[in-house]
Amino acid sequence: MPRGKCCNRGNRPCSCEMGNLYRFTEPIVLACLARLGISHGYQIAQAAESLAVTHAGLDVPAVYRVLRRLENNGYVQSTWDTSRSGPARREYVVTSAGLEHLDEWTVVLGDYLASLNGVLAECRQVLQGRLCPEETENR
Amino acid sequence: MPRGKCCNRGNRPCSCEMGNLYRFTEPIVLACLARLGISHGYQIAQAAESLAVTHAGLDVPAVYRVLRRLENNGYVQSTWDTSRSGPARREYVVTSAGLEHLDEWTVVLGDYLASLNGVLAECRQVLQGRLCPEETENR
DNA sequence: TTATATATGTGTAACTTACACATATGGGGG
DNA sequence: CCCCCATATGTGTAAGTTACACATATATAA
C-alpha cells in the first residue's frame, strides 16, 4: 500500500492515498479514543485489544507512535495530566478533523473488506468443486 | 505479520503461522490456478485482476515470485510449454497439498475478515454517535 | 529490597509492497 | 529490414510496515 498512486479512484478516499498508515492501528486507535472521549495511550491500548485484528493484540509501542502521528496531522490533541498518582499521562482528545479522518477510514475499510470478501468467496467456491468430491470419496 | 509467534491459536492455521506470505497474493494465485486447472503466470495475473484487493491490480512480478515459492513448498508443479508460438510458458497445476493450503487460507481469511468487520462496525458506531449530531445541526 | 502494575517511549531486524527495469519470442506495419 | 506491440518470464530495490527487544520512570505491595 505504500508509496504512490497504485490506482485512481478520483477524489474518494482510498487505501493507497491514506498516507503513512500503520496498517489498521490508526483507525482502531482513533475509534477507541473517540469512544472513550478523553484517554491516554496505555488505556487506549487496553481498550483496543478487543478490536485488534488477526488474533494478535495491538502493538503498544505502535499505539504511541500512531498517537504522535495523529497529533502531527491535527486529528487528535494532547495535554499532560500530572494530577493523579503514578506516572504522568498524556491525555488525548479527537478533533473534528480526526472524526472526518475516521469517516474516510470507514470508506477504505469497507472497500477493502468487500474485496477481501470476494477473494474468500472465490477460494471457498474453488475448494467446494475440487476438495469436497475427493473428501467424500475417501471418507 | 512476519517473524514468529504473535499469538497461539493451538494447532489451527493462523495468519501469523502461514510463513512468508506476500499478503494475499498467495491465496489469490492459488485460487485462480485451481479454478483454471492448468495455467501459466501471465494468464493467472490476468485472471486474478478481478479478485485483487484494494482496487490495485495484482503485481505481476509478485505473481511469478509467489508461484516459485508455492512450487518450492510443493503446493504447485510446473512444466515448460514450448509447443505454442510466442515465448515459452511455464505451466502450473495445483497439487493436493496446494488445495489443503488453500483450505487453510480460507480459515485465516475468514478470521481476518471477521476481525476487520468488527473494527469497521466499531468505527461506524462511534461515528454515528459523534458525527451525525453535528452534521444534522450544521446542515 | 524486590517485584509488579502503570505509563511512555526508542531502536531495529525482518519482511512486504509497488514499481522500475531486463530479456526474449513472434506478428504486423512501414 | 526495422520498429512497435502483445505476450511471457523474470530481477532489483527504495520505501514502507511489523513484531518485538529494550529503556525509563512512578507508585504500591510483599
Side-chain angles (χ1 to χ4, degrees), chain B residues 81-101:
Chain B
D81 174 17
T82 51
S83 66
R84 305 176 193 232
S85 85
R89 304 168 170 189
R90 200 193 277 269
E91 300 218 298
Y92 288 92
V93 283
V94 181
T95 65
S96 60
L99 289 177
E100 283 171 37
H101 190 58

Side-chain angles (χ1 to χ4, degrees), chain A residues 59-70:
Chain A
D59 190 48
V60 177
V63 170
Y64 289 109
R65 273 191 263 245
V66 161
L67 282 169
R68 280 295 177 83
R69 190 158 47 78
L70 287 172

Side-chain angles (χ1 to χ4, degrees), chain A residues 53-129:
Chain A
V53 286
T54 67
H55 303 284
L58 263 203
D59 190 48
V60 177
V63 170
Y64 289 109
R65 273 191 263 245
V66 161
L67 282 169
R68 280 295 177 83
R69 190 158 47 78
L70 287 172
E71 185 160 31
N72 286 337
N73 293 336
Y75 298 142
V76 300
Q77 284 177 343
S78 74
T79 49
W80 279 104
D81 175 17
T82 52
S83 66
R84 304 175 194 233
S85 86
R89 305 167 169 190
R90 200 193 277 268
E91 301 219 295
Y92 288 91
V93 283
V94 182
T95 65
S96 60
L99 289 177
E100 283 170 40
H101 190 57
L102 185 57
D103 194 45
E104 288 179 339
W105 259 112
T106 63
V107 177
V108 170
L109 283 173
D111 290 348
Y112 188 79
L113 269 168
S115 297
L116 260 190
N117 242 322
V119 172
L120 179 56
E122 172 70 11
C123 290
R124 282 182 173 150
Q125 208 173 82
V126 165
L127 284 172
Q128 224 164 45

Side-chain angles (χ1 to χ4, degrees), chain B residues 45-79:
Chain B
Q46 288 186 320
E49 284 289 306
S50 58
L51 288 176
V53 286
T54 66
H55 302 283
L58 263 203
D59 191 47
V60 177
V63 170
Y64 290 108
R65 274 191 262 245
V66 161
L67 282 169
R68 280 294 177 84
R69 189 158 46 79
L70 287 172
E71 185 159 32
N72 286 337
N73 292 335
Y75 299 142
V76 301
Q77 283 177 344
S78 74
T79 49

